[in-house]
Amino acid sequence: MRRERTDAARNRAKILAAAEAIVAAQGVRGLSMAEVAAAAGVGVGTLYRRFGDRSGLAYALIDRREREFQSAFIEGPPPLGPGADPAARARAFLDALTDRTVGQLDLLLMAETAGPFARFGGAYDAYHGHLSMLIAQLRPDADAYCLADALLAPLAAPLLAHRIRECGVEVERVKLALAALLDGMTT
Amino acid sequence: MRRERTDAARNRAKILAAAEAIVAAQGVRGLSMAEVAAAAGVGVGTLYRRFGDRSGLAYALIDRREREFQSAFIEGPPPLGPGADPAARARAFLDALTDRTVGQLDLLLMAETAGPFARFGGAYDAYHGHLSMLIAQLRPDADAYCLADALLAPLAAPLLAHRIRECGVEVERVKLALAALLDGMTT
DNA sequence: ACTCTAAGCGGAACCGATTCCGGATGCAAC
DNA sequence: GTTGCATCCGGAATCGGTTCCGCTTAGAGT
């Protein structure tokens, strides 16, 4: 694994900047690979080598925006970070994850085209690992691995988008329902 | 809403039969709109008028296969159908739904490309309505609507496919985890 | 400074989903 | 049996993601 060539790094930055600008101007719908390439002044091949595919590009944009969230629950202050008791941390984590998911809904919808795991795997695994650790502390006898999936699944972008945008469900209700499940599990 | 024209009905049947045959012969991967149209002896436009898009076609194939499941939990014998207590029905329902989801994984993956709701809405709504009714009986004070979503979400095809195929998780574990959540909710 | 090579580049070509629209056809009314 | 027309049909054209491959270049070694 050697260092990225300087021209490659420059192109990566140009592409991300161009993509960010297009999303800001036209929304996620307008984010076509050809257009991003043209705006960044590179060939489409370059986008694909760098990001794999359209979801990969979306994921890179998301990743950039939430680097700090990822570290907040790993090493930040309580209740998200270490220090609080596991139940409070889990609750805070699910609440925070709900908010950031709602905040990035369009990009997530685009990134999850091929399922949440194709490229989004990295971040999902981080969330899953964190939550299953907390659950294991709460209920050492339970299948923390599967339970973590079950608590994370309701935050899938397509479901949230549908309920919030089409059905008028409030974000708070979603948080409360998850918290209720978590409580039930703890008891 | 008038009756479907006879040539249209005939074409619908030819298309479904051709699609079924292609899936049987080459799997879901080989199911391209152009190929289905050619095999059915119709134009691609006909596929789109009938089924809307690729997911719509996949959904039609699924729907055809599980008509009986849909009625089993509405009017069949207990524990799935009416007669058993709500907790047992909910448990049986989730178990059965898990099995049929795993059984149709490839088609579901194809159908859910644009989120589980674009076209899959009909069936999802049926499941959701049924489960929330049961939950409302168990916990009249809870937000049955959101809780039903939360229990159904872990059965999303992309997640199940990933866990079962890539991570080697057993179907039974998934069922047990869901049952545990349900128990916690009931208590 | 020069050479060599792995890494990177651009954009044409490809592929499959989706749209469009002029022409054909079922069928209900007469 | 004929007519009127809403519905349906076919397939060419479009559109955008993805792949491919011959050319270019950064940068390590000499």
Side-chain angles (χ1 to χ4, degrees):
Chain A
M1 193 69 169
R2 90 202 291 135
R3 196 166 60 84
E4 187 178 42
R5 252 166 60 167
T6 57
D7 54 344
R10 184 157 13 91
N11 279 333
R12 171 193 298 279
K14 280 197 295 182
I15 291 168
L16 286 175
E20 201 89 63
I22 289 177
V23 169
Q26 320 179 21
V28 171
R29 274 295 298 281
L31 195 69
S32 82
M33 299 302 265
E35 196 177 350
V36 173
V42 304
V44 285
T46 304
L47 261 78
Y48 280 89
R49 192 167 333 88
R50 218 59 23 248
F51 301 102
D53 61 12
R54 196 175 133 91
S55 325
L57 176 57
Y59 177 56
L61 290 175
I62 293 167
D63 190 53
R64 180 191 241 206
R65 294 188 186 180
E66 66 172 67
R67 207 58 74 64
E68 73 286 358
F69 172 59
Q70 312 226 147
S71 71
F73 64 80
I74 293 174
E75 52 187 23
L80 220 42
D85 70 287
R89 284 189 78 186
R91 168 78 192 257
F93 172 68
L94 287 176
D95 280 0
L97 185 57
T98 305
D99 284 332
R100 81 87 216 193
T101 301
V102 172
Q104 309 275 311
L105 219 38
D106 283 321
L107 279 174
L108 284 167
L109 245 18
M110 174 172 154
E112 291 186 12
T113 294
F117 309 99
R119 303 225 95 68
F120 194 56
Y124 185 88
D125 283 351
Y127 303 149
H128 182 263
H130 182 64
L131 188 56
S132 40
M133 177 203 72
L134 294 174
I135 293 175
Q137 290 176 15
L138 288 168
R139 294 284 306 266
D141 56 319
D143 185 349
Y145 189 88
C146 284
L147 287 173
D149 272 335
L151 288 176
L152 254 17
L155 297 179
L159 177 59
L160 277 189
H162 179 70
R163 287 310 186 201
I164 291 175
R165 292 179 177 169
E166 320 286 321
C167 307
V169 169
E170 299 291 333
V171 177
E172 285 313 312
R173 274 179 72 189
V174 175
K175 290 184 187 173
L176 286 173
L178 279 180
L181 281 185
L182 194 58
D183 276 358
M185 187 188 307
T186 317
T187 317
Chain B
M1 194 65 172
R2 90 202 290 138
R3 197 165 60 84
E4 186 177 42
R5 251 168 61 169
T6 58
D7 54 344
R10 184 156 13 92
N11 278 332
R12 172 193 297 280
K14 280 197 296 184
I15 290 168
L16 252 18
E20 201 87 63
I22 290 177
V23 169
Q26 320 178 21
V28 172
R29 274 296 298 282
L31 196 68
S32 81
M33 297 303 263
E35 196 177 350
V36 173
V42 304
V44 286
T46 304
L47 262 77
Y48 280 90
R49 193 169 331 89
R50 239 357 91 224
F51 301 103
D53 60 12
R54 195 175 134 90
S55 327
L57 177 57
Y59 176 56
L61 290 175
I62 293 166
D63 190 50
R64 178 191 242 205
R65 294 189 188 181
E66 64 172 72
R67 208 58 72 65
E68 71 287 357
F69 172 59
Q70 313 227 144
S71 70
F73 63 79
I74 293 174
E75 52 188 21
L80 219 42
D85 70 288
R89 284 189 78 188
R91 168 76 191 257
F93 173 68
L94 287 175
D95 280 359
L97 186 57
T98 305
D99 285 332
R100 80 88 216 193
T101 301
V102 171
Q104 309 276 310
L105 218 37
D106 283 322
L107 278 175
L108 284 166
L109 245 19
M110 175 172 154
E112 291 185 13
T113 295
F117 309 100
R119 303 225 95 68
F120 194 55
Y124 185 87
D125 283 351
Y127 303 148
H128 182 263
H130 182 65
L131 188 56
S132 38
M133 177 203 70
L134 294 174
I135 293 176
Q137 292 177 13
L138 287 168
R139 294 285 304 267
D141 57 316
D143 185 349
Y145 188 89
C146 284
L147 287 173
D149 272 335
L151 287 176
L152 254 17
L155 297 179
L159 177 59
L160 277 189
H162 180 70
R163 286 309 187 203
I164 290 175
R165 292 179 177 168
E166 319 287 320
C167 307
V169 169
E170 299 292 334
V171 177
E172 285 313 313
R173 274 180 72 189
V174 175
K175 290 184 188 174
L176 286 173
L178 279 180
L181 280 185
L182 194 58
D183 276 358
M185 187 188 307
T186 317
T187 319

